Amino acid sequence: MTQILVSALLWLLVLSLLILRRGRADRSILWSALTIAVAMTLNIDGLYRWADRLLGGTNLVTLVADLALMLGIFFLGRAVAKATEFRPAIVRFALGRTVLAVALVCTVIAFAFIERGVTTTTFMLDYGAQPAAAAYSMTQFAYDGIVLTAMAAVTTRQIRRGRGADRLPAVALLIGSALGLVLAAVVIGMDIAHIAGDVSLMLGLGAAYSPLFLSTFLFLCLGLASQPAMRWLRARSRANAMRRLVTQTTPIWQRANLVRPGMSQQDAAGFSAADAETRLHRQLVEIRDAAVDPRVAFELSDAESVIVDAAEARLLRRGADTNATSAQPATGATP
């Protein structure tokens, strides 16, 4: 059931990223969500048995799923790191391709030495007493721990530098990273206990596995999805504000055009969200031009001045926000 819930969460995340991040150049988050979703889906018992039969019934699907999970964690770490300028050498090394390549090679080699039987959905319970199986599991979770530690350092920095609701995605990612580190420690502890033959300790630690596994991915998904969702909501809010301002300034603009025809002669109705800001800027320019032109008799009333001043102030704030955003690095997790 845990695998099904986590898979559903991750495929929902993939879908939301496809919708909310259309046109974004960096795809690290999407690749992360997609590869981890594939890994979790392959671990669903019924699908696992079917896929493993196709591969010969020797539990090769375990290796495929675990390698996909490691790749997903790699992309996740890279995406989070791109959201900040805080990238010390140790973080760049931990999230680099070299560490990933070493971990992947060690994982494949360890798997090759495991004496595997027929298809089983409890791979580590059945074969975890073998040193090769323990090395296989510990290599994966040690790598996950390295990446999650780097993520925790980056997100801690983001939280300190953020303000208000902007901190929420980083907070969720930090909690997910911390839970993931505890999960990695639990799994490594289970592997050591299994080798040592301490089954009671292994089962005791195993009781924490499912809750930690589910909560880790719940917070990671929340952190990954909340930033593009917040960006989308803000974009919609800005577009609606621009539409309202265009609607408010249109009667003033039409009156100005009666005495001093400008270039904006098309009907103001039916404009799209994409050109609302351009239309508002054009209308304000033509209203101001009519107000200062000595050849025509056009004056703004007090109420109209308030509307025009508010619209201009909104455009100025929008321009400042755009400049601030463009000054930030290209990100995977934040704008």
Side-chain angles (χ1 to χ4, degrees):
M1 181 58 71
T2 300
Q3 296 291 348
I4 295 175
L5 289 174
V6 172
S7 298
L9 277 173
L10 285 160
W11 285 115
L12 183 61
L13 175 62
V14 170
L15 180 61
S16 67
L17 291 174
L18 287 172
I19 295 172
L20 298 174
R21 292 181 59 84
R22 289 191 302 258
R24 301 288 293 184
D26 186 79
R27 298 279 180 165
S28 298
I29 287 184
L30 180 58
W31 282 117
S32 172
L34 185 59
T35 51
I36 296 176
V38 169
M40 294 300 103
T41 302
L42 287 175
N43 279 311
I44 296 174
D45 289 354
L47 182 59
Y48 179 92
R49 293 190 186 95
W50 173 80
D52 200 60
R53 281 198 299 271
L54 295 180
L55 296 180
T58 58
N59 297 292
L60 280 175
V61 174
T62 293
L63 178 62
V64 173
D66 290 337
L67 293 180
L69 180 58
M70 294 172 71
L71 284 172
I73 295 296
F74 165 76
F75 284 121
L76 174 59
R78 303 271 285 196
V80 172
K82 288 180 181 179
T84 179
E85 295 177 354
F86 176 68
R87 299 177 203 171
I90 188 64
V91 169
R92 293 196 302 271
F93 177 75
L95 301 178
R97 292 183 177 89
T98 300
V99 175
L100 171 67
V102 170
L104 291 176
V105 169
C106 291
T107 299
V108 172
I109 292 174
F111 187 83
F113 281 95
I114 301 173
E115 295 182 8
R116 308 183 307 274
V118 296
T119 299
T120 175
T121 57
T122 54
F123 184 81
M124 287 305 297
L125 284 176
D126 293 340
Y127 306 115
Q130 299 180 40
Y136 169 76
S137 175
M138 287 191 286
T139 299
Q140 299 170 54
F141 282 92
Y143 175 74
D144 293 345
I146 290 171
V147 174
L148 291 170
T149 299
M151 282 175 50
V154 170
T155 51
T156 299
R157 172 87 168 186
Q158 289 176 323
I159 292 169
R160 287 202 302 263
R161 294 170 64 89
R163 293 177 298 175
D166 290 335
R167 296 178 175 180
L168 294 179
V171 169
L173 287 172
L174 178 59
I175 295 173
S177 299
L179 290 169
L181 286 170
V182 176
L183 174 64
V186 165
V187 172
I188 291 173
M190 291 171 63
D191 292 332
I192 295 173
H194 203 165
I195 294 176
D198 192 340
V199 177
S200 61
L201 176 59
M202 182 189 73
L203 295 177
L205 291 172
Y209 177 84
S210 291
L212 280 171
F213 190 85
L214 180 58
S215 56
T216 294
F217 283 98
L218 175 62
F219 278 100
L220 289 177
C221 289
L222 180 62
L224 291 174
S226 58
Q227 184 61 55
M230 289 170 61
R231 187 187 300 117
W232 180 78
L233 290 172
R234 285 173 179 165
R236 282 186 61 88
S237 177
R238 285 194 296 266
N240 290 335
M242 289 298 167
R243 286 195 186 96
R244 287 194 299 270
L245 290 170
V246 170
T247 300
Q248 292 170 359
T249 57
T250 293
I252 308 172
W253 166 76
Q254 289 173 336
R255 189 166 66 83
N257 267 258
L258 290 176
V259 297
R260 189 182 184 279
M263 296 180 65
S264 304
Q265 293 300 313
Q266 68 262 40
D267 187 1
F271 58 87
S272 67
D275 62 17
E277 185 175 337
T278 300
R279 176 170 287 280
L280 177 62
H281 180 267
R282 186 179 300 161
Q283 291 188 172
L284 291 174
V285 168
E286 295 180 7
I287 289 170
R288 289 302 189 189
D289 287 347
V292 300
D293 192 338
R295 297 170 300 174
V296 299
F298 178 78
E299 291 185 1
L300 293 172
S301 68
D302 290 343
E304 289 173 336
S305 294
V306 170
I307 292 173
V308 172
D309 289 345
E312 289 176 336
R314 180 69 186 221
L315 281 179
L316 288 173
R317 287 201 304 273
R318 170 64 175 145
D321 292 343
T322 300
N323 291 335
T325 300
S326 63
Q328 295 178 353
T331 71
T334 61

